[in-house]
Amino acid sequence: MKPYGYKTTCTFFISGTNDLVCCTFSIFADAGSIGVNYGRIANNLPSAVKVVQLLKSQGLERVKVFDTDPAVLKALSRSKIKVTVDLPNELLYSVARKQSFAYSWVQRNVAGYHPDTQIEAVAVGNEVFVDPHNTTKFLLPAMRNIQKALVKYNLDSSIKVSSPIALSALQNSYPSSAGSFRPELVETVFKPMLDFLRQTGSYLMVNAYPFFAYESNSDVISMDYALFRENPGVVDAGNGLRYFNLFDAQIDAVFAAMSALKYDDVKIVVTETGWPSKGDENEIGASVENAAAYNGNLVRRILTGGGTPLRPKADLTVYLFALFNENKKIGPTSERNYGLFYPDEKRVYDIPFTLEGLSHYKDKTPPVSAGQQVSTPISDRGVSKSSSANTWCIANAEVGREKLQNALDYACGEGKADCHPIQAGSSCYEPNSIEAHASYAFNSFYQKNKRAMGSCDFSGAAFVVSQPPRFGQCEFPTGY
């Protein structure tokens, strides 16, 4: 899966800038790999032959397609581009029910093109657990039947079988160390599927979109944290690891969920990730600048090697979504604007896809208008630098009552927070809950310490928000 490439011996940020500085490069055989999703829900795209020429001109050596269109697979023949093909959700029932159907599908759509077209994986279905047609029960039988068909045609040693899952398959994803799969899927799907992946030497396909998490939680997740820019990081209270980007945190939540089921040896390939360059008014964060920053910094993150905090040796293969803007996709405006290229093959924004291109790449932070006050958005359950006083510290109820009580005791005692307003009969006693009282005390400590980095942590029991907290009629101070 991993191309021969380079890996940095160190990577760090220059304080006060958004520039990553990569130190000396050394030859390294296990660098990460970048691919791209080639979706075609559009009526204005170039021919498959031109698309293959575009991929090669950009140095993209991996592509994932959502079907087995003959024109596409023929165009990819002898291109040396590795291909992941998809068996659509609509065919899961037929493939699961009849081995003969699986044989004919593999013969026609895989064996008929390989090895001239270098098919390296079959994605059986796509995000099946959220498929409204209730195809989950057919997934494992379909995967097994496709595998049997690959064995029949002597392709099982070179082609892997898996199925992309969405992060909604997780019951818990924060903090990453608490990652777990949805309970109703554990025994029926995930354990047997992970067994299958282990036995066949395959990997779990994961679709991860930090954009969705940021869009829904922009009041607590820092834009810098979402876009791989400089930030103080977020400490996972469960394992003590510090995260500097949301992507790593999401992937480690999946690794943790697998580890909880004793499948630490199964690898992950990120089959979709991306950021839209345009969105509706309520799609916070969708812009050309942010899309360029996310994808450009992600490429650098992957190609310069190194795994995640939980799996530091797990260099990742990541497929960007998507090659083109697709004008016939339904849904919000963002759905039609994930493309790296316009249909005329012009770039939507300029980012590299290779190590050579990275040597000249610089993340372009949007300029700030003169006189405009800007505060850095707050990182996911953590602290970041801010030029504005309008941030508050509140309790993280997810750590449990005991941790909150211990942190509250510290804040009101040794921490010398002003806890008089949360005493019985005082202005902030109601609501009389541990979360409300702890939030007031944590915020008092945070403000008294001038919102210094690390002053809103309490071993993971607190995090910063950029909107005024609301607990009854109590008003939280913003400074002392």
Side-chain angles (χ1 to χ4, degrees):
M1 288 294 298
K2 298 170 185 174
Y4 191 80
Y6 301 88
K7 186 174 182 179
T8 54
T9 56
C10 61
T11 303
F12 58 90
F13 286 98
I14 296 178
S15 177
T17 76
N18 288 313
D19 298 338
L20 263 173
V21 175
C22 296
C23 299
T24 56
F25 285 86
S26 58
I27 295 177
F28 194 86
D30 287 331
S33 175
I34 291 291
V36 66
N37 284 272
Y38 172 24
R40 304 191 324 281
I41 305 178
N43 60 6
N44 55 357
L45 299 183
S47 69
V49 171
K50 287 188 176 181
V51 169
V52 172
Q53 292 172 349
L54 176 64
L55 293 172
K56 294 179 73 173
S57 72
Q58 301 300 317
L60 287 161
E61 298 177 346
R62 277 189 162 84
V63 67
K64 178 173 163 284
V65 294
F66 293 89
D67 53 22
T68 52
D69 185 271
V72 173
L73 295 183
K74 286 178 183 176
L76 285 161
S77 177
R78 300 182 182 179
S79 66
K80 297 184 179 180
I81 295 173
K82 295 180 173 62
V83 185
T84 294
V85 298
D86 183 74
L87 185 147
N89 290 352
E90 298 78 43
L91 294 182
L92 288 177
Y93 173 81
S94 298
V95 172
R97 286 289 300 272
K98 291 186 177 182
Q99 181 66 63
S100 59
F101 189 96
Y103 285 151
S104 63
W105 188 89
V106 168
Q107 181 183 38
R108 183 172 62 255
N109 298 293
V110 181
Y113 298 97
H114 189 81
D116 285 351
T117 299
Q118 292 186 26
I119 299 173
E120 64 174 345
V122 177
V124 177
N126 185 56
E127 299 188 351
V128 173
F129 309 140
V130 295
D131 184 353
H133 298 100
N134 193 27
T135 50
T136 297
K137 60 186 174 183
F138 305 121
L139 177 59
L140 261 297
M143 291 175 69
R144 292 183 179 122
N145 285 348
I146 291 295
Q147 180 68 22
K148 290 176 184 176
L150 292 176
V151 171
K152 175 180 173 68
Y153 294 105
N154 297 315
L155 297 173
D156 55 302
S157 62
S158 54
I159 299 176
K160 302 302 181 185
V161 175
S162 187
S163 182
I165 67 165
L167 288 185
S168 58
L170 296 180
Q171 176 75 8
N172 296 308
S173 60
Y174 176 82
S176 299
S177 58
S180 62
F181 294 117
R182 282 161 41 191
E184 72 274 18
L185 296 174
V186 170
E187 297 296 334
T188 56
V189 182
F190 274 108
K191 281 188 176 180
M193 181 166 74
L194 291 168
D195 263 333
F196 171 86
L197 299 177
R198 173 185 281 165
Q199 292 165 8
T200 60
S202 188
Y203 41 81
L204 182 64
M205 294 177 170
V206 176
N207 296 345
Y209 286 90
F211 168 71
F212 294 138
Y214 176 78
E215 178 194 21
S216 301
N217 302 277
S218 59
D219 56 336
V220 294
I221 297 179
S222 163
M223 178 68 80
D224 291 334
Y225 185 65
L227 299 181
F228 301 89
R229 287 173 170 162
E230 179 187 8
N231 66 91
V234 180
V235 175
D236 186 317
N239 56 24
L241 297 174
R242 185 176 292 272
Y243 287 83
F244 293 96
N245 65 78
L246 184 52
F247 174 84
D248 279 357
Q250 289 186 336
I251 299 306
D252 269 358
V254 182
F255 274 132
M258 294 164 63
S259 181
L261 300 181
K262 310 299 183 186
Y263 291 94
D264 297 88
D265 55 322
V266 177
K267 297 180 180 180
I268 283 178
V269 165
V270 180
T271 36
E272 288 184 30
T273 190
W275 196 286
S277 60
K278 187 178 180 181
D280 294 321
E281 187 175 344
N282 64 338
E283 294 189 282
I284 301 170
S287 72
V288 170
E289 293 82 7
N290 291 342
Y294 178 80
N295 284 317
N297 290 332
L298 172 65
V299 169
R300 174 161 46 199
R301 153 80 181 79
I302 298 303
L303 292 186
T304 54
T308 63
L310 191 60
R311 298 279 185 91
K313 296 182 180 179
D315 295 291
L316 293 170
T317 293
V318 173
Y319 289 81
L320 303 178
F321 188 90
L323 187 58
F324 295 109
N325 284 340
E326 299 171 69
N327 67 347
K328 289 297 183 179
K329 296 196 76 172
I330 60 174
T333 298
S334 62
E335 282 295 310
R336 294 173 289 283
N337 290 279
Y338 274 90
L340 301 164
F341 294 87
Y342 294 109
D344 63 3
E345 300 182 45
K346 292 181 180 177
R347 290 174 178 263
V348 177
Y349 42 82
D350 190 16
I351 64 167
F353 304 108
T354 63
L355 276 167
E356 291 77 10
L358 280 175
S359 63
H360 305 291
Y361 173 69
K362 181 179 180 181
D363 177 11
K364 298 176 182 177
T365 306
V368 177
S369 301
Q372 181 182 0
Q373 186 182 33
V374 175
S375 62
T376 305
I378 305 308
S379 58
D380 181 17
R381 300 295 196 242
V383 184
S384 75
K385 298 172 185 174
S386 174
S387 59
S388 167
N390 295 322
T391 56
W392 295 261
C393 182
I394 66 172
N396 174 15
E398 296 176 10
V399 302
R401 184 180 182 87
E402 184 179 354
K403 264 198 168 184
L404 283 183
Q405 186 63 59
N406 290 338
L408 173 59
D409 293 343
Y410 170 83
C412 292
E414 186 180 343
K416 298 181 180 179
D418 179 12
C419 295
H420 295 295
I422 57 176
Q423 302 303 311
S426 296
S427 59
C428 290
Y429 180 71
E430 296 293 343
N432 181 18
S433 71
I434 183 70
E435 183 180 356
H437 288 184
S439 292
Y440 190 91
F442 295 166
N443 184 66
S444 172
F445 180 87
Y446 175 62
Q447 303 297 342
K448 280 193 168 185
N449 284 278
K450 303 186 184 302
R451 298 170 300 283
M453 187 184 304
S455 62
C456 180
D457 184 47
F458 297 94
S459 298
F463 59 94
V464 174
V465 295
S466 56
Q467 299 295 323
R470 290 287 181 266
F471 291 98
Q473 300 301 311
C474 182
E475 289 189 9
F476 281 51
T478 58
Y480 289 93

